[in-house]
Amino acid sequence: MQNKESKNRRFAMKKFYIISNDFRNSVIQLTSNKSYAEIEPYLDQYSTEKLPNDVTFSVAKGKKWADLLYYHEAASIVFFSKKVINILSTIIDMKDLCYPIKIEAENVPQYYFIYNKVAYKLVNPDYLLNDFGEPPYLYIPQEELEKHKLFTHINGICNIVDEDIMQEMKKSKVTNIRFREIYVIDTGEYEELIRQHNQQKPFLP
């Protein structure tokens, strides 16, 4: 019994947070001097290459600079203020995880794109269609879990951060950012989730 309880504690779910766009109407949306088809490969979450130097952005819509801006042609592509990058940099080394983008506008702050992130398997990708049902689960082996505080999942475009980063962002009152919970599960929990899903039972935390 003791071994079983120890194993269950070892595989306790850990909560992380998806950084989401708050979609405030007045916030600036960016567009590019290149077509979406040309730059999309560089803005994919798995990209390890920076945008070409001749790519520039401009204001497509909106009036207010916020800590998260999004690409007018694809709202899932987001850019972060220097304030956000500074917060991240106090906790993790961002040197190889972000780079500045060029924006042609008056009195424009500096914004960055976060790239080169490790990606993990989303166990229940159908959650994307239902905001009120089962939360999303990521499967990360235990030996990998302590290595990353910023990552993404292989089923879509997003930035996922841990509790420490989320709390620091909230404390700093970042704008146009909201956080959605996502749960990281280890091997034992993954096997239990699959078993319960096969029996059509919910696996809520």
Side-chain angles (χ1 to χ4, degrees):
M1 178 65 70
Q2 186 175 358
N3 290 338
K4 183 177 181 180
E5 289 177 354
S6 298
K7 182 177 180 180
N8 287 340
R9 286 196 297 271
R10 178 188 175 191
F11 294 124
M13 264 186 257
K14 188 171 182 180
K15 189 188 299 182
F16 284 77
Y17 299 86
I18 299 172
I19 296 177
S20 299
N21 192 337
D22 208 17
F23 290 105
R24 299 185 183 183
N25 291 332
S26 59
V27 169
I28 284 172
Q29 301 171 30
L30 298 179
T31 190
S32 172
N33 63 333
K34 304 286 186 179
S35 70
Y36 175 66
E38 289 179 274
I39 67 173
E40 191 274 335
Y42 298 97
L43 298 177
D44 185 282
Q45 292 298 304
Y46 318 126
S47 175
T48 58
E49 295 184 49
K50 297 179 181 179
L51 283 163
N53 289 330
D54 61 345
V55 175
T56 60
F57 296 88
S58 58
V59 176
K61 185 179 178 181
K63 296 181 180 180
K64 293 183 179 180
W65 300 101
D67 290 312
L68 183 152
L69 306 181
Y70 68 92
Y71 188 51
H72 181 67
E73 288 83 354
S76 58
I77 295 174
V78 298
F79 308 97
F80 294 99
S81 69
K82 178 66 173 175
K83 178 179 179 179
V84 171
I85 299 302
N86 284 343
I87 293 169
L88 290 168
S89 297
T90 63
I91 299 174
I92 57 179
D93 185 357
M94 292 296 294
K95 182 178 65 174
D96 297 321
L97 295 175
C98 71
Y99 60 88
I101 62 169
K102 300 174 184 177
I103 304 176
E104 294 181 344
E106 292 184 4
N107 302 316
V108 58
Q110 185 64 69
Y111 283 84
Y112 296 77
F113 182 69
I114 295 176
Y115 79 129
N116 202 26
K117 298 189 297 291
V118 63
Y120 289 105
K121 180 181 179 181
L122 186 65
V123 178
N124 54 339
D126 290 344
Y127 90 94
L128 295 170
L129 304 177
N130 184 0
D131 284 340
F132 304 101
E134 186 178 59
Y137 302 105
L138 275 176
Y139 169 51
I140 303 180
Q142 182 70 26
E143 62 271 16
E144 290 285 317
L145 187 56
E146 300 304 321
K147 296 180 181 179
H148 305 289
K149 290 178 174 285
L150 169 67
F151 47 88
T152 188
H153 64 69
I154 63 175
N155 302 86
I157 297 176
C158 69
N159 294 278
I160 302 170
V161 297
D162 72 353
E163 179 85 19
D164 293 340
I165 292 173
M166 184 275 292
Q167 292 293 350
E168 283 299 316
M169 286 190 180
K170 283 192 170 182
K171 187 189 303 181
S172 300
K173 298 181 179 179
V174 291
T175 55
N176 198 39
I177 290 177
R178 63 186 180 94
F179 299 94
R180 181 177 180 184
E181 294 177 359
I182 183 168
Y183 293 86
V184 169
I185 61 175
D186 206 325
T187 306
E189 290 173 326
Y190 176 71
E191 292 171 354
E192 176 66 10
L193 184 149
I194 297 302
R195 185 186 70 80
Q196 293 194 21
H197 272 215
N198 289 339
Q199 297 175 0
Q200 297 183 339
K201 295 180 181 179
F203 188 77
L204 297 175

